[in-house]
Short mmCIF file of all heavy atoms in Angstrom, two decimals:
data_model
loop_
_atom_site.label_atom_id
_atom_site.label_comp_id
_atom_site.label_asym_id
_atom_site.label_seq_id
_atom_site.Cartn_x
_atom_site.Cartn_y
_atom_site.Cartn_z
N VAL W 166 -38.73 3.88 -45.06
CA VAL W 166 -39.97 4.60 -45.08
C VAL W 166 -40.65 4.66 -43.78
O VAL W 166 -40.99 3.63 -43.25
CB VAL W 166 -40.97 4.20 -46.22
CG1 VAL W 166 -42.16 5.13 -46.31
CG2 VAL W 166 -40.32 4.13 -47.61
N LEU W 167 -40.71 5.84 -43.15
CA LEU W 167 -41.27 5.98 -41.76
C LEU W 167 -42.88 5.84 -41.85
O LEU W 167 -43.37 6.20 -42.85
CB LEU W 167 -41.06 7.41 -41.19
CG LEU W 167 -39.51 7.65 -40.86
CD1 LEU W 167 -39.25 9.02 -40.45
CD2 LEU W 167 -39.05 6.64 -39.70
N LYS W 168 -43.39 5.35 -40.71
CA LYS W 168 -42.73 4.72 -39.57
C LYS W 168 -42.79 3.38 -39.75
O LYS W 168 -42.05 2.45 -39.00
CB LYS W 168 -43.55 5.17 -38.35
CG LYS W 168 -43.40 6.66 -38.04
CD LYS W 168 -43.92 7.00 -36.62
CE LYS W 168 -45.41 7.41 -36.77
NZ LYS W 168 -45.92 7.81 -35.47
N GLY W 169 -43.62 2.78 -40.62
CA GLY W 169 -44.02 1.32 -40.67
C GLY W 169 -42.70 0.47 -40.75
O GLY W 169 -42.73 -0.72 -40.37
N SER W 170 -41.67 0.84 -41.52
CA SER W 170 -40.58 -0.04 -41.86
C SER W 170 -39.48 -0.05 -40.90
O SER W 170 -38.42 -0.67 -40.98
CB SER W 170 -40.05 0.20 -43.26
OG SER W 170 -39.24 1.45 -43.16
N LEU W 190 -37.37 8.45 -44.89
CA LEU W 190 -38.24 9.21 -45.67
C LEU W 190 -39.54 9.18 -45.02
O LEU W 190 -40.03 8.05 -44.54
CB LEU W 190 -38.33 8.45 -47.08
CG LEU W 190 -39.30 9.08 -48.06
CD1 LEU W 190 -38.74 10.34 -48.53
CD2 LEU W 190 -39.50 8.10 -49.24
N MET W 192 -43.53 9.37 -45.14
CA MET W 192 -44.63 9.38 -46.20
C MET W 192 -45.85 8.85 -45.46
O MET W 192 -45.84 8.12 -44.61
CB MET W 192 -44.42 8.40 -47.31
CG MET W 192 -44.70 8.68 -48.56
SD MET W 192 -43.76 8.05 -49.94
CE MET W 192 -43.30 6.52 -49.39
N SER W 193 -46.90 9.40 -45.92
CA SER W 193 -48.22 8.95 -45.32
C SER W 193 -49.26 8.97 -46.32
O SER W 193 -49.35 9.84 -47.25
CB SER W 193 -48.66 9.87 -44.19
OG SER W 193 -48.83 11.19 -44.70
N SER W 194 -50.01 7.72 -46.33
CA SER W 194 -51.15 7.74 -47.34
C SER W 194 -52.36 7.36 -46.68
O SER W 194 -53.46 7.87 -47.10
CB SER W 194 -50.79 6.72 -48.46
OG SER W 194 -50.57 5.45 -47.95
N TYR W 195 -52.29 6.53 -45.58
CA TYR W 195 -53.51 6.07 -44.98
C TYR W 195 -54.14 6.95 -43.94
O TYR W 195 -55.35 6.93 -43.84
CB TYR W 195 -53.23 4.61 -44.30
CG TYR W 195 -53.35 3.51 -45.18
CD1 TYR W 195 -53.06 3.65 -46.60
CD2 TYR W 195 -53.72 2.34 -44.74
CE1 TYR W 195 -53.14 2.58 -47.43
CE2 TYR W 195 -53.82 1.22 -45.64
CZ TYR W 195 -53.48 1.39 -47.01
OH TYR W 195 -53.60 0.38 -47.77
N VAL W 223 -36.43 0.65 -48.25
CA VAL W 223 -36.98 -0.36 -47.36
C VAL W 223 -38.26 0.02 -46.96
O VAL W 223 -38.49 1.11 -46.34
CB VAL W 223 -35.96 -0.49 -46.22
CG1 VAL W 223 -36.58 -1.55 -45.17
CG2 VAL W 223 -34.63 -0.95 -46.67
N GLU W 224 -39.32 -0.85 -47.29
CA GLU W 224 -40.69 -0.44 -47.02
C GLU W 224 -41.41 -1.51 -46.27
O GLU W 224 -41.03 -2.83 -46.48
CB GLU W 224 -41.39 -0.07 -48.27
CG GLU W 224 -42.82 0.25 -48.29
CD GLU W 224 -43.30 1.40 -47.35
OE1 GLU W 224 -42.77 1.29 -46.07
OE2 GLU W 224 -44.04 2.27 -47.66
N ASP W 225 -42.33 -1.39 -45.47
CA ASP W 225 -43.00 -2.46 -44.76
C ASP W 225 -43.99 -3.27 -45.61
O ASP W 225 -44.02 -4.49 -45.73
CB ASP W 225 -43.90 -1.79 -43.54
CG ASP W 225 -44.70 -0.69 -43.89
OD1 ASP W 225 -44.85 -0.32 -45.15
OD2 ASP W 225 -45.39 -0.01 -42.98
N ILE W 226 -44.72 -2.59 -46.51
CA ILE W 226 -45.76 -3.23 -47.20
C ILE W 226 -46.00 -2.61 -48.52
O ILE W 226 -46.06 -1.30 -48.70
CB ILE W 226 -47.01 -3.49 -46.36
CG1 ILE W 226 -48.10 -4.35 -46.99
CG2 ILE W 226 -47.63 -2.09 -46.09
CD1 ILE W 226 -49.08 -4.77 -46.11
N SER W 232 -47.18 4.64 -52.78
CA SER W 232 -46.15 5.20 -52.02
C SER W 232 -44.91 4.92 -52.59
O SER W 232 -43.93 5.72 -52.70
CB SER W 232 -46.25 4.70 -50.48
OG SER W 232 -47.57 4.67 -50.02
N GLY W 283 -44.19 -3.19 -36.78
CA GLY W 283 -44.04 -1.93 -37.38
C GLY W 283 -45.28 -1.29 -37.97
O GLY W 283 -45.56 -0.17 -38.09
N LEU W 284 -46.23 -2.24 -38.45
CA LEU W 284 -47.52 -1.82 -39.14
C LEU W 284 -48.54 -1.38 -38.11
O LEU W 284 -48.74 -2.10 -37.14
CB LEU W 284 -47.99 -2.94 -40.02
CG LEU W 284 -47.24 -3.19 -41.20
CD1 LEU W 284 -47.37 -4.69 -41.65
CD2 LEU W 284 -47.71 -2.28 -42.42
N ASP W 285 -49.32 -0.26 -38.40
CA ASP W 285 -50.21 0.24 -37.35
C ASP W 285 -51.55 0.40 -37.96
O ASP W 285 -51.80 0.01 -39.19
CB ASP W 285 -49.82 1.54 -37.08
CG ASP W 285 -50.06 2.51 -38.06
OD1 ASP W 285 -49.71 2.45 -39.25
OD2 ASP W 285 -50.73 3.57 -37.83
N ARG W 291 -47.90 -1.23 -33.53
CA ARG W 291 -46.67 -1.34 -34.20
C ARG W 291 -45.61 -2.32 -33.42
O ARG W 291 -44.82 -2.85 -34.15
CB ARG W 291 -45.90 0.04 -34.30
CG ARG W 291 -46.74 0.94 -35.21
CD ARG W 291 -45.88 2.30 -35.53
NE ARG W 291 -46.55 3.31 -36.15
CZ ARG W 291 -46.78 3.46 -37.41
NH1 ARG W 291 -46.47 2.53 -38.28
NH2 ARG W 291 -47.50 4.49 -37.85
MG1 MG Y 605 -45.65 2.96 -44.63
#
Side-chain angles (χ1 to χ4, degrees):
V166 183
L167 292 173
K168 292 189 263 183
S170 73
L190 175 72
M192 213 155 31
S193 57
S194 61
Y195 273 27
V223 177
E224 178 57 311
D225 50 6
I226 189 163
S232 315
L284 291 148
D285 73 307
R291 291 194 196 274

